[in-house]
Amino acid sequence: MSDILTNPWPWYVAGPIIGLMIPALLLLGNKPFGISSSLKHICAACFPGNIPFFQYNWRNESWNIVLALGILAGGLVGGLIFSNPDSVAISAETVADLNALNVTHGPGLHPMDIFNFSSLLTLKGFLLIIVGGFLVGFGTRYANGCTSGHTIMGISNLQMASVIASVCFFAGGLIMTWFILPFILNT
């Protein structure tokens, strides 16, 4: 039983569970799936003021804040109680590519020499963590949603804007992975 909770689930189990969130949310309250709007709702709840963007009834969207808190709680439970001590299985080609970029990685595949507090004070760390985080937030706001909202919810609802946004997310990921990230890591 503990193997079910500590090992990754196969795609044919996890995928349908994620996919069933869409009809569940639609049937239970006509709610869209997505996580990026929860920051807007939290800001509207915590910082009421004269900013027109935050002047709406955020209580109608409080379910989204509960969803975000549930994701955080699930991550904590999964990471602290059901963590798998084994390294992430990656291909030898990926390890070779990471080594060619002088990236040492930890058991979670995150580059240990980049994603730590002391690296935040370097140009490379600042670009990857702060500027990258800002660009993700800006892109999410500009696209009016995140990858999960557009790709899982929007495409399943046959929304052309979500198809375009998802193609752009994927293209941006490819450009970042193959062109921009190697340039940043080699500087």
Side-chain angles (χ1 to χ4, degrees):
M1 178 68 176
S2 66
D3 286 347
I4 292 173
L5 298 176
T6 58
N7 290 324
W9 291 3
W11 64 267
Y12 53 83
V13 174
I17 290 173
I18 293 170
L20 289 173
M21 284 291 295
I22 304 312
L25 285 170
L26 290 174
L27 291 172
L28 293 175
N30 198 26
K31 303 290 185 188
F33 179 73
I35 196 65
S36 60
S37 58
S38 54
L39 178 60
K40 175 184 174 185
H41 305 319
I42 291 169
C43 289
C46 295
F47 306 110
N50 294 327
I51 302 171
F53 184 70
F54 295 128
Q55 291 178 345
Y56 66 95
N57 189 359
W58 60 267
R59 287 176 184 84
N60 289 342
E61 304 298 329
S62 60
W63 71 273
N64 198 275
I65 297 172
V66 173
L67 174 70
L69 292 174
I71 290 171
L72 287 173
L76 284 172
V77 168
L80 297 175
I81 298 173
F82 299 113
S83 63
N84 186 340
D86 300 331
S87 294
V88 175
I90 57 175
S91 69
E93 292 85 9
T94 302
V95 172
D97 288 344
L98 289 171
N99 289 337
L101 293 171
N102 296 320
V103 175
T104 57
H105 59 87
L109 192 62
H110 61 283
M112 299 298 289
D113 53 345
I114 297 171
F115 295 109
N116 61 55
F117 187 73
S118 61
S119 292
L120 181 62
L121 303 175
T122 66
L123 177 62
K124 186 186 303 184
F126 182 80
L127 284 173
L128 290 172
I129 298 171
I130 303 298
V131 175
F134 173 79
L135 289 173
V136 167
F138 176 79
T140 299
R141 181 69 197 124
Y142 188 73
N144 200 21
C146 59
T147 53
S148 60
H150 279 297
T151 306
I152 298 171
M153 183 74 175
I155 291 177
S156 66
N157 284 327
L158 305 175
Q159 296 177 8
M160 185 51 117
S162 291
V163 172
I164 293 168
S166 298
V167 168
C168 291
F169 293 148
F170 188 76
L174 288 174
I175 291 168
M176 180 65 191
T177 300
W178 290 102
F179 301 108
I180 300 172
L181 186 62
F183 176 75
I184 292 172
L185 292 176
N186 286 323
T187 57

